[in-house]
Amino acid sequence: MALSYSQLRRYRTCPRQYEFSNVKKIPWGISEGESFGSSAHNALKKWGEIELGRREKGVGRRKQNDVREDQLVLFAGEAKPDIPSELTEEKLVALWHEAFIVDTYATRLEADFARKRGEAMMRQYYRWWSLAPHKVLAIEKSFTEEIAGLSFSGRLDRVEETEAGIVILDYKTSQPCTQDEADADLQLSLYALAARHLFERPCIALTLLFLSDEGVLERTTTRSASQLKDAETQIRLIRERLEAKDFRPTPSLPACKRCPYRGICDVAAV
Ligand code: SF4
């Protein structure tokens, strides 16, 4: 059985929502929030690819193994203006405007508002990015991983290399979660499981990067061997339920409010 993380998340949110989407294949339109998130991911993908391209070509390398290549260098807390022309704040803003998906908004005014908000968000991202050196290892890295009898496919938004190991970063444009939620996040556990086979070096941290027009919030967590075992157990239970075609609904106000099938579901809580 093959599954993407978004399909798994749908099943965990409500098995009937999964059934509507993945078994009955009832289509639904992309929401404005999803569209905004896709625009941000696309802009940052392009940005990361420029970073990666420069690194692969060795452009701007000052010396061998210098992890600060192609990046703002900080000397005693003072920023040296050493950022290459491909990686300026205005370049990132331009990438945002190129990536912005306009069609999903109800009115032109709402689209303009979202576009402006996204521009401010990219400026905040740039500030975050400028604060420390980043050694990008991969951007939008696809993977398929066999976990507890399920074949998972997914994509890592951004992977950075540090001296101690790799860090996986996942962009979010939703409301920030709590640290406890990040520590228990199943998606991050799946990423940690996949990272064991994708990279030669250990995954030392997983970071959710919550992006907004007010700033970038990091939620950094790790996964122990026992947490990864727990994640595998969770996956096994879900696989058993899927195999048994257990699509009993689990209505709740937060889930049903955001569910694209609430109009056709007879047990919707809204
Ligand atoms: S409306 Fe609620 S109960 Fe119905 S499928 Fe959606 S989330 Fe599940």
Side-chain angles (χ1 to χ4, degrees):
M1 186 176 281
L3 221 59
S4 69
Y5 180 71
S6 56
Q7 291 169 331
L8 174 75
R9 186 182 51 209
R10 212 164 287 141
Y11 187 85
R12 294 177 83 218
T13 300
C14 172
R16 182 175 284 182
Q17 189 184 106
Y18 173 92
E19 185 188 17
F20 280 142
S21 164
N22 295 80
V23 181
K24 297 187 173 169
K25 310 254 183 234
I26 301 173
W28 80 88
I30 182 170
S31 71
E32 290 181 4
E34 287 166 336
S35 167
F36 185 81
S38 294
S39 300
H41 274 79
N42 292 341
L44 294 175
K45 174 176 183 272
K46 288 267 159 37
W47 175 262
E49 284 169 350
I50 299 172
E51 286 180 88
L52 196 58
R54 286 183 60 83
R55 189 178 167 209
E56 282 169 358
K57 284 190 210 136
V59 179
R61 185 166 293 161
R62 289 182 202 88
K63 59 183 181 187
Q64 203 68 24
N65 302 325
D66 187 349
V67 297
R68 298 185 170 206
E69 65 207 21
D70 301 344
Q71 175 66 4
L72 179 73
V73 179
L74 305 174
F75 289 104
E78 203 175 307
K80 185 183 172 195
D82 193 23
I83 295 177
S85 58
E86 297 100 313
L87 294 171
T88 61
E89 185 172 339
E90 293 316 311
K91 175 65 185 176
L92 180 55
V93 169
L95 291 176
W96 162 255
H97 286 293
E98 279 168 32
F100 184 67
I101 305 162
V102 72
D103 313 341
T104 43
Y105 297 89
T107 65
R108 186 62 201 231
L109 201 68
E110 281 174 44
D112 288 348
F113 179 75
R115 186 189 277 277
K116 269 269 163 241
R117 183 161 67 87
E119 185 180 316
M121 188 173 81
M122 289 297 137
R123 293 191 188 282
Q124 292 290 355
Y125 179 85
Y126 187 85
R127 254 159 244 153
W128 169 84
W129 178 85
S130 302
L131 284 174
H134 300 276
K135 194 174 182 183
V136 184
L137 185 64
I139 294 291
E140 298 262 344
K141 174 86 177 166
S142 299
F143 68 86
T144 302
E145 178 78 9
E146 189 78 17
I147 303 169
L150 270 179
S151 173
F152 270 104
S153 55
R155 240 190 324 232
L156 307 175
D157 288 343
R158 182 177 172 100
V159 183
E160 293 187 358
E161 209 171 2
T162 70
E163 292 198 2
I166 63 145
V167 178
I168 293 172
L169 296 110
D170 194 57
Y171 302 128
K172 298 283 180 200
T173 52
S174 52
Q175 284 298 310
C177 69
T178 63
Q179 185 61 46
D180 284 349
E181 286 167 338
D183 292 342
D185 188 274
L186 184 59
Q187 184 181 18
L188 293 182
S189 297
L190 295 175
Y191 287 175
L193 284 165
R196 296 187 304 188
H197 300 123
L198 284 174
F199 306 103
E200 286 164 11
R201 307 188 58 209
C203 173
I204 56 157
L206 301 128
T207 298
L208 296 171
L209 268 190
F210 288 95
L211 313 175
S212 82
D213 50 354
E214 293 179 350
V216 174
L217 179 80
E218 290 182 37
R219 287 270 185 253
T220 297
T221 184
T222 55
R223 288 294 180 272
S224 64
S226 77
Q227 285 174 304
L228 295 182
K229 240 186 171 30
D230 285 350
E232 286 176 328
T233 304
Q234 284 187 57
I235 300 300
R236 186 167 305 112
L237 290 173
I238 292 171
R239 177 176 56 79
E240 285 167 7
R241 287 189 197 166
L242 280 168
E243 284 171 353
K245 300 197 184 332
D246 181 352
F247 302 128
R248 282 171 294 173
T250 52
S252 70
L253 204 56
C256 298
K257 225 161 70 179
R258 287 198 298 270
C259 178
Y261 302 113
R262 62 186 181 277
I264 57 168
C265 177
D266 59 353
V267 293
V270 285

